[in-house]
Amino acid sequence: MTQDLTILGLESSCDDTAAAIVRQRRGAAPEILASIVHGQSDLHAAFGGVVPEIAARAHAEKLDICVEEALATSNLTLKDIDAVAVTAGPGLIGGVLSGVMCAKGLSAGLGVPLVGVNHLAGHALTPRLTDQVAYPYLMLLVSGGHCQFLIVRGAEDFSRLGGTIDDAPGEAFDKTARLLGLAQPGGPAVQAAAERGDATRFRFPRPLLDRPDCDMSFSGLKTALLRARDAVIAEKSGLTEQDRADLCAGFQAAIVDVLAEKTRRALALYLDENPSAPMLAVAGGVAANTAIRARLETVCAELDVTFTAPPLSLCTDNAAMIAYAGLERFQTGARDDMTLAARPRWPLDKAAPAMLGSGKKGAKA
Ligand code: KG4
Ligand code: ZN
């Protein structure tokens, strides 16, 4: 690297509007000077999922506020920005467009380069931002909108080993919470109930474990849970706290088993490449789940693989990861111009077949 770089990043692909400033000084670790996130959950709460049109309008209203807050937090002005990085996909088209248009305006107005970033690359490169992890590493991206295994070899070099063919695990947690009358987002509520439950009372399916690949399926779990819930209600005319806890424990145990077994398979493929210091990194909101984390740590320990998870605020959607992924692209010479398009679908690994399904949070890459 020949110069210090200060990058402004924008993120608006789903239901978080975010702006961040990341600085890379010569020979030093990258630094997050500001990371501002304005969530929209209140706007969508009544609808049971993200409403794309509402999301896009809210992004358009909030983006410049986020940029102002990021500049104020880092004590900088727009003149200090060397390049603008923006999520150009995948995600909800209206939201992505809001971000791309805002970034184009800033880039043209300031006369600085524009760099389009794949949202998934932002997640996948986060361990390099937080811990300077060396390539290649294995990433499990597991959130409300994504679930995939990636070998990360470079800023633009990803191999997708497999992923969900329908729902993402976060969606399954959220739907389970809804079916049991627990609070949204469902992950933390289901986890808390599961800790008080008996995981052996209900046995839920572990889909696709009979297939040798790294693909997963979570949509059948909610149907199984619904049937089990209805059977209890039919028998006892209602659900007790213990019934809820046992249902949550059984559900979570199924998710943990599937993720652990598929992680084992993904690690085997990754380890075939003989990385010198093998590492599994997780990102995404579901990575907050303590049972999932504990099991993944066990799998890694058995195989002598280091396990790492970025802090939760950088695991979930944010713009620091976009600024950082933009920075890595910028350093490889990548530049975009006013033709940069918003791409609702944008697979990281062009060689891998397209994933099926599209969850509440929009199209999966
Ligand atoms: O990454 P994220 O903030 O947003 C996107 O999906 O893009 O992830 C949110 C998801 C929600 O579905 C939420 O229920 C889930 O992460 N989640 C959890 C936990 N905390 C959040 N799932 C399981 N266990 C948790 N502790
Ligand atoms: Zn995301």
Side-chain angles (χ1 to χ4, degrees), residues 22-93:
V22 169
R23 176 171 282 167
Q24 173 93 67
R25 288 193 193 279
R26 236 171 304 178
E31 221 184 319
I32 302 172
L33 303 185
S35 180
I36 307 294
V37 182
H38 283 279
Q40 304 179 346
S41 7
D42 294 356
L43 298 178
H44 305 288
F47 303 98
V50 178
V51 183
E53 182 60 25
I54 294 176
R57 282 169 193 270
H59 287 307
E61 279 168 19
K62 275 277 162 65
L63 272 162
D64 51 353
I65 296 170
C66 289
V67 172
E68 276 170 16
E69 288 180 16
L71 289 168
T73 305
S74 48
N75 251 329
L76 297 177
T77 70
L78 282 173
K79 289 200 179 67
D80 299 307
I81 301 300
D82 296 313
V84 181
V86 61
T87 299
L92 300 170
I93 183 70

Side-chain angles (χ1 to χ4, degrees), residues 178-192:
R178 220 165 285 136
L179 289 172
L180 297 178
L182 301 174
Q184 291 294 321
V190 171
Q191 176 184 314

Side-chain angles (χ1 to χ4, degrees), residues 69-235:
E69 288 180 16
L71 289 168
T73 305
S74 48
N75 251 329
L76 297 177
T77 70
L78 282 173
K79 289 200 179 67
D80 299 307
I81 301 300
D82 296 313
V84 181
V86 61
T87 299
L92 300 170
I93 183 70
V96 180
L97 263 175
S98 306
V100 168
M101 297 309 286
C102 180
K104 283 182 180 175
L106 285 166
S107 157
L110 298 171
V112 299
L114 174 70
V115 183
V117 169
N118 184 307
H119 176 87
L120 301 175
H123 280 301
L125 298 179
T126 301
R128 291 178 54 74
L129 167 63
T130 55
D131 296 290
Q132 292 78 59
V133 166
Y135 295 125
Y137 54 93
L138 181 68
M139 155 72 51
L140 168 59
L141 183 52
V142 62
S143 72
H146 325 291
C147 184
Q148 51 186 282
F149 292 103
L150 295 162
I151 297 180
V152 186
R153 297 194 192 86
E156 303 200 55
D157 186 356
F158 305 91
S159 290
R160 197 186 69 216
L161 303 179
T164 182
I165 58 167
D166 43 52
D167 289 356
E171 285 178 271
F173 272 98
D174 294 342
K175 285 174 183 168
T176 292
R178 220 165 285 136
L179 289 172
L180 297 178
L182 301 174
Q184 291 294 321
V190 171
Q191 176 184 314
E195 280 159 14
R196 300 186 298 271
D198 171 5
T200 60
R201 179 169 160 207
F202 299 98
R203 172 84 192 165
F204 292 118
R206 272 78 170 148
L208 303 194
L209 283 194
D210 53 332
R211 269 170 45 175
D213 58 26
C214 300
D215 284 343
M216 293 162 278
S217 162
F218 298 102
S219 71
L221 259 178
K222 65 173 183 290
T223 319
L225 185 111
L226 177 65
R227 284 212 199 93
R229 179 201 72 172
D230 288 349
V232 176
I233 292 174
E235 192 189 320

Side-chain angles (χ1 to χ4, degrees), residues 302-361:
E302 282 166 16
L303 296 167
D304 264 336
V305 171
T306 307
F307 176 81
T308 184
L312 196 60
S313 60
L314 294 173
C315 271
T316 54
D317 285 353
N318 66 87
M321 68 179 192
I322 302 304
Y324 179 74
L327 192 141
E328 283 219 21
R329 282 202 74 212
F330 185 90
Q331 286 172 330
T332 65
R335 303 287 184 273
D336 286 293
D337 59 23
M338 294 299 138
T339 63
L340 176 67
R343 298 174 63 178
R345 281 185 181 260
W346 183 4
L348 271 183
D349 178 355
K350 290 155 207 83
M355 298 303 286
L356 302 173
S358 123
K360 77 176 161 75
K361 300 230 166 169

Side-chain angles (χ1 to χ4, degrees), residues 138 140 149 161 214 216 256-270 280 282 292 295-296 299-300 303 307:
L138 181 68
L140 168 59
F149 292 103
L161 303 179
C214 300
M216 293 162 278
V256 168
D257 280 354
V258 170
L259 285 174
E261 181 52 30
K262 295 289 179 168
T263 297
R264 221 177 266 285
R265 293 177 198 176
L267 278 171
L269 294 171
Y270 160 69
L280 171 72
V282 287
I292 294 173
R295 185 68 89 68
L296 292 178
V299 169
C300 284
L303 296 167
F307 176 81

